[in-house]
């Protein structure tokens, strides 16, 4: 198996023993990303609308949102599911990727959302 570790300063650094992302066999697998500003290493302040708009890791890995085939979204409050849907449509406007979305009790750094993705890499 061909496997390449992705590490970029354009996305939050790993806060544990894991890689930001891995490219293997033509696919990009990102770790779940909480909204941390890579320049300051601090949580992005704001509501879920602000926190959910982080995509630097996908682009830094040589892919793009139109090549995403699966996302996993963890949110702190399922009452914000419709907000997530609206934000999702800003990044994916046709041929939507498969998605899982679950409510969780708590996320790292007390973020409101965490998103992981699988994308095709050419």
């Amino acid at each position: 198996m061909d496997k390449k570790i992705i590490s970029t300063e354009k996305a939050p650094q790993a806060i544990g023993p894991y890689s930001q992302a891995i490219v293997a066999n033509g696919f990009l697998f990102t770790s779940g990303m909480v909204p941390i500003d890579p320049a300051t290493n601090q949580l992005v302040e704001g509501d879920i609308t602000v926190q959910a708009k982080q995509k630097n890791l996908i682009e830094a890995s040589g892919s793009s949102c139109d090549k995403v085939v699966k996302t996993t979204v963890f949110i702190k409050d399922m009452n914000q599911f419709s907000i997530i849907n609206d934000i999702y449509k800003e990044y994916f406007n046709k041929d939507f990727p498969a998605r899982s979305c679950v409510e969780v009790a708590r996320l790292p750094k007390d973020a409101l959302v965490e998103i992981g993705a699988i994308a095709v890499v050419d």
Side-chain angles (χ1 to χ4, degrees):
M1 174 178 72
D2 181 31
K3 179 171 110 172
K4 177 182 174 187
I5 304 297
I6 301 298
S7 180
T8 177
E9 294 179 359
K10 295 180 180 180
Q13 297 303 302
I15 56 176
Y18 59 88
S19 299
Q20 289 172 308
I22 293 177
V23 173
N25 296 330
F27 287 95
L28 165 71
F29 299 87
T30 73
S31 292
M33 288 289 161
V34 294
I36 295 174
D37 181 337
T40 65
N41 205 34
Q42 297 298 312
L43 186 71
V44 173
E45 296 294 326
D47 62 13
I48 198 165
T49 304
V50 174
Q51 288 194 3
K53 295 182 179 183
Q54 310 294 312
K55 63 176 183 160
N56 293 343
L57 184 57
I58 291 171
E59 293 170 350
S61 301
S63 192
S64 61
C65 286
D66 63 328
K67 295 180 181 177
V68 172
V69 295
K70 170 77 167 87
T71 63
T72 304
V73 181
F74 301 97
I75 56 177
K76 199 167 178 183
D77 181 0
M78 192 54 78
N79 290 319
Q80 297 180 324
F81 184 74
S82 63
I83 295 169
I84 290 296
N85 281 337
D86 291 340
I87 295 165
Y88 207 77
K89 288 186 276 188
E90 290 179 29
Y91 293 92
F92 309 109
N93 53 26
K94 64 177 185 148
D95 299 328
F96 297 109
R99 179 182 76 183
S100 300
C101 183
V102 295
E103 180 182 72
V104 295
R106 191 169 180 203
L107 291 166
K109 303 233 179 211
D110 289 320
L112 301 174
V113 61
E114 178 176 334
I115 303 172
I118 301 171
V120 174
V121 177
D122 294 328

